[in-house]
Amino acid sequence: QSWSRGMSYCLHSESHLDTGPIYVRENGKLHVVNPGAGGVQNVTPKTRPFSLFSRSFSVELCMNREDDRARRQRTDHFIFTYTKEGNLRYSAKSLFSLVLGYISDNVDHIDSLIGFPEQIAEKLFSAAEARQKFTEPVTGLRALQKFTEAYGSLVLCSLCLRNRYLVISEKLEEIKSFRELTCLDLSCCKLGDEHELLEHLTKEALSSVKRLLLKDNSLSDAGLRRMTAPVRVLKKGLDNLLVLDLSCNPKITDVGIGYLLSFKKLNCLDISGTGLKDVNAVIKRLQMQIGLVHSKVPLKEFDHSNCKTEGWAEQTVLQWEQAVMESMKPQHNLRSRAAALHFYGKTHRIEEVVKCTLVEPETKASGNLQFYKDKVQNCHLPLKKEVAGSHELKNNKKRALAEQERERTSKQKHLCLTVEDWDLLNTY
């Protein structure tokens, strides 16, 4: 007992905090050392559950209901089908499909997809596209950039935005995120010289564009000068351009055509419906400097049927267009209102969609100014003279052979020799 008292005193002197009762077993009995009283008491052990928190502590489970639709898709782990007998049958989804759905729901949080396999990335893109993740205002752009940075032309290699200027205005940043496009159709969009998308055409991200259609976009000489400046000065930008359509832009004059001479790889050019003053001089200039020949018939490269949206994001562009059309649906009632106002003798102005059919008669009146590059003849005027000279040589040879045959026939009449004899004599 004295030993236990000394121990309790030592513990009390060393510890400055209240550690609670201390239990000591001695001679088969359990004693409690009370630091406050300094004594030892015999107690019976009591089993009391150990608790980390006080009785007043409570926990409330909260769930994030912002994306309730995605949460339901994650918990839907079964596929329900019906047998031939009409019985309901269910099967569990594969782990790959479950993981794919989860990642597609959070695709905007991915750091990077560079080096990721293309086959799996295409399925991931389709899953995110089915959930319309790329139509969201902020997260959609961030998610789309992850794919375009890693896969480039696989996401989209050809983009047709003909007469879709509303889609351009709503999804301009998304359109600018596409890289390695080879074909871009911006016809009938009325962009003008100062549009941000035209400035983006001169960047290195679109240096792969080979076919550019800018029909009816209110362009002028200033716009062409700005668009061709990187090619003329730095040899960058649209240096790989092969097909260019600038028709139905009346503000483009002979000065603007001079800027196009920097496109040395250009194979097809359409400048119908432009404001050219001296058409013959422009035709000769294009022919002499970049080898483009004036076509008397319309070229199939400018019928706009070959340009289509192709790539993984084909359905994404359609979703953008559908979203724009949905937002424009209430404005369709303006036509009925205008008819009613017209019936009561009132006038009402409606801004209708500008279509390319309004500009088609101008191109027919000004004539067809489509050019192509002859692959055989690089410099047309000198080669035409050479070809004509070669034809004359062939005709002279034919005439000489005909004269020789006449001489032979005349000699046969006088000498009575056969043709075989004459051939034999000619061998000596």
Side-chain angles (χ1 to χ4, degrees), residues 73-119:
Q73 291 177 354
R74 288 197 299 268
T75 56
D76 187 12
H77 300 332
F78 299 97
I79 302 175
F80 295 92
T81 57
Y82 287 93
T83 60
K84 296 181 180 180
E85 293 79 10
N87 298 325
L88 183 63
R89 178 182 176 183
Y90 68 93
S91 58
K93 291 183 179 180
S94 62
L95 180 61
F96 176 79
S97 61
L98 295 176
V99 173
L100 194 67
Y102 177 78
I103 297 177
S104 61
D105 289 333
N106 302 276
V107 67
D108 55 304
H109 297 290
I110 297 177
D111 292 334
S112 177
L113 288 172
I114 298 176
F116 200 68
E118 298 174 359
Q119 295 82 1

Side-chain angles (χ1 to χ4, degrees), residues 156-162 168 175-176 178 180-187 189 191 197-198 200-202 205-206 208-215 217 227 238 241 243-245 304 306-310:
L156 211 63
C157 62
S158 178
L159 179 58
C160 180
L161 296 174
R162 179 183 174 90
I168 295 176
I175 294 172
K176 290 169 60 177
F178 292 121
E180 299 181 9
L181 286 175
T182 58
C183 181
L184 181 59
D185 189 355
L186 299 174
S187 303
C189 290
L191 299 180
L197 185 56
L198 291 179
H200 181 66
L201 290 176
T202 61
L206 292 180
S208 60
V209 174
K210 297 181 179 180
R211 186 176 182 183
L212 181 60
L213 306 178
L214 295 173
K215 179 180 181 179
N217 270 287
M227 188 174 64
L238 299 173
L241 196 62
V243 180
L244 179 60
D245 185 3
H304 296 272
N306 297 327
C307 185
K308 299 178 182 179
T309 303
E310 297 178 357

Side-chain angles (χ1 to χ4, degrees), residues 310-341:
E310 297 178 357
W312 296 352
E314 180 179 354
Q315 296 297 324
T316 303
V317 178
L318 293 178
Q319 290 177 359
W320 295 345
E321 187 177 2
Q322 290 176 359
V324 172
M325 296 303 295
E326 289 291 333
S327 62
M328 294 294 294
K329 269 186 177 180
Q331 297 186 6
H332 289 303
N333 298 327
L334 294 176
R335 294 184 178 180
S336 59
R337 292 173 56 189
L341 292 174

Side-chain angles (χ1 to χ4, degrees), residues 175-428:
I175 294 172
K176 290 169 60 177
S177 66
F178 292 121
R179 301 185 178 186
E180 299 181 9
L181 286 175
T182 58
C183 181
L184 181 59
D185 189 355
L186 299 174
S187 303
C188 309
C189 290
K190 301 291 184 181
L191 299 180
D193 298 331
E194 303 293 335
H195 200 275
E196 187 177 353
L197 185 56
L198 291 179
E199 183 182 357
H200 181 66
L201 290 176
T202 61
K203 302 296 179 60
E204 295 183 0
L206 292 180
S207 60
S208 60
V209 174
K210 297 181 179 180
R211 186 176 182 183
L212 181 60
L213 306 178
L214 295 173
K215 179 180 181 179
D216 190 16
N217 270 287
S218 303
L219 297 177
S220 65
D221 297 339
L224 294 184
R225 181 181 60 185
R226 195 171 297 170
M227 188 174 64
T228 58
V231 181
R232 291 185 285 109
V233 179
L234 303 175
K235 304 298 180 182
K236 296 181 179 180
L238 299 173
D239 192 20
N240 298 318
L241 196 62
L242 300 178
V243 180
L244 179 60
D245 185 3
L246 295 173
S247 59
C248 303
N249 291 295
K251 296 181 180 180
I252 295 178
T253 62
D254 303 21
V255 180
I257 300 300
Y259 299 129
L260 302 179
L261 301 177
S262 58
F263 295 138
K264 301 299 182 181
K265 299 180 181 180
L266 198 63
N267 291 334
C268 297
L269 175 64
D270 189 1
I271 53 175
S272 305
T274 55
L276 300 180
K277 297 179 180 179
D278 193 351
V279 178
N280 295 327
V282 171
I283 293 175
K284 292 181 180 179
R285 191 177 182 185
L286 291 174
Q287 186 174 358
M288 292 296 295
Q289 297 193 15
I290 57 177
L292 292 179
V293 183
H294 181 221
S295 177
K296 297 180 180 179
V297 295
L299 300 176
K300 63 179 181 180
E301 285 79 7
F302 300 107
D303 59 357
H304 296 272
S305 61
N306 297 327
C307 185
K308 299 178 182 179
T309 303
E310 297 178 357
W312 296 352
E314 180 179 354
Q315 296 297 324
T316 303
V317 178
L318 293 178
Q319 290 177 359
W320 295 345
E321 187 177 2
Q322 290 176 359
V324 172
M325 296 303 295
E326 289 291 333
S327 62
M328 294 294 294
K329 269 186 177 180
Q331 297 186 6
H332 289 303
N333 298 327
L334 294 176
R335 294 184 178 180
S336 59
R337 292 173 56 189
L341 292 174
H342 181 71
F343 178 78
Y344 289 107
K346 299 180 180 180
T347 58
H348 184 71
R349 182 181 178 182
I350 302 177
E351 295 182 359
E352 296 182 354
V353 177
V354 180
K355 298 182 180 180
C356 280
T357 55
L358 300 176
V359 194
E360 293 293 338
E362 298 181 2
T363 60
K364 294 180 180 179
S366 61
N368 182 27
L369 291 177
Q370 295 181 355
F371 298 84
Y372 68 97
K373 181 176 290 186
D374 195 352
K375 296 181 180 179
V376 179
Q377 301 176 2
N378 295 326
C379 187
H380 298 273
L381 291 177
L383 286 177
K384 284 185 177 180
K385 294 180 180 179
E386 294 177 2
V387 172
S390 63
H391 284 299
E392 291 179 358
L393 292 174
K394 290 181 180 179
N395 293 330
N396 293 332
K397 289 181 180 180
K398 290 181 180 179
R399 291 174 183 175
L401 292 174
E403 290 178 355
Q404 290 178 2
E405 291 178 359
R406 289 176 184 177
E407 292 177 356
R408 289 177 182 178
T409 54
S410 63
K411 290 180 181 180
Q412 287 177 0
K413 290 181 181 179
H414 294 285
L415 300 174
C416 297
L417 297 175
T418 61
V419 178
E420 295 177 357
D421 296 335
W422 280 108
D423 292 336
L424 181 61
L425 292 174
N426 290 328
T427 58
Y428 290 95

